[in-house]
Amino acid sequence: MSTKEYLVQLKILDVKLRQKLQELRELSDRIICIQGVNYSEDKELSTSSSYEATFARRYEAVDLLEREVEQRIQELIEFKHRLINEIQSIDCPTSASLLFKRYVEFKKLDVIAREMNYSYNRIRHLHGIALKNFEKNKSRHTIAHFNVV
């Protein structure tokens, strides 16, 4: 896995979590709306036992999805914490700041360029340097870790 692919994982986790949260909201809304259903028009809910079974299935689905969302939130928190620590351990403050803005705050390079008072081309160049600094720093820590263990 390349350095950039590694750094982009946080965004991927964030997007997947947001999608699961949207799915959870929609499913929860369906449970709430079930009380206002016209039972004579809904074949699935035409009897009381069908209503209860459908409600139970939907409630189970929400419960399962809530547990999955909680697990994904925990994964996101742990990865984000690790990534921030890895970025902050870079010796170059410009590289650390740029990588934080790009891969933790999910800002585009043109926005980062304005915030850091650089041209877009300069920030692209610095981004390449920052990626190399991150990779060098990560391998240095990995080597140091293996030497200790």
Side-chain angles (χ1 to χ4, degrees), residues 142-149:
T142 304
I143 292 166
H145 172 72
F146 287 125
N147 289 339
V148 172
V149 175

Side-chain angles (χ1 to χ4, degrees), residues 128-148:
I129 292 170
L131 289 174
K132 287 177 185 170
N133 287 340
F134 183 85
E135 188 172 345
K136 195 174 6 174
N137 193 60
K138 190 162 175 52
S139 63
R140 185 179 76 216
H141 285 295
T142 304
I143 292 166
H145 172 72
F146 287 125
N147 289 339
V148 172

